[in-house]
Amino acid sequence: VNQVANLSLVSSACDIVSTAYASTKESHPYIRSVCDVAEKGVKSVTEATASCVQPVLTTLEPHVAAASEYASKSLDKLGEKLPLLQKPVEQIISDTKELVSSRVADAKDAVS
């Protein structure tokens, strides 16, 4: 999970969503009230679930470690094959706009 969260694409996307969420809460008092209640509910459920699940996680720890190792290696390979994952969202959008503009210009030239 940490490895996925540290990918530039995922990290920048999370930052954008977090900023939009905070801005929306700040700008709209009714939405803020609903979000605050939802956040408290999620926190309570998470805390209650964590205490119940902990014994199961302890038992499964060796399996989780093996799965984590496999996932880590797979993510490394995926990162090599998809360098896009190492770029922030802003750069991907900019590169895409640039590519589309270039293709449109090429199509205009071809039609001319």
Side-chain angles (χ1 to χ4, degrees), residues 25-95:
K25 276 181 67 175
E26 182 98 10
S27 302
H28 305 285
Y30 296 117
I31 292 176
R32 179 183 8 203
S33 299
V34 171
C35 290
D36 288 345
V37 170
E39 289 170 13
K40 287 177 186 172
V42 168
K43 184 177 179 183
S44 297
V45 169
T46 302
E47 289 170 355
T49 304
S51 62
C52 296
V53 172
Q54 190 57 47
V56 175
L57 289 178
T58 303
T59 304
L60 296 175
E61 191 171 348
H63 304 292
V64 171
S68 179
E69 180 67 25
Y70 178 75
S72 179
K73 289 178 183 177
S74 297
L75 279 171
D76 289 341
K77 288 180 185 177
L78 188 62
E80 291 170 10
K81 292 182 180 185
L82 292 173
L84 181 77
L85 295 173
Q86 304 303 329
K87 295 181 180 181
V89 171
E90 295 85 1
Q91 185 178 356
I92 293 169
I93 291 170
S94 173
D95 292 349

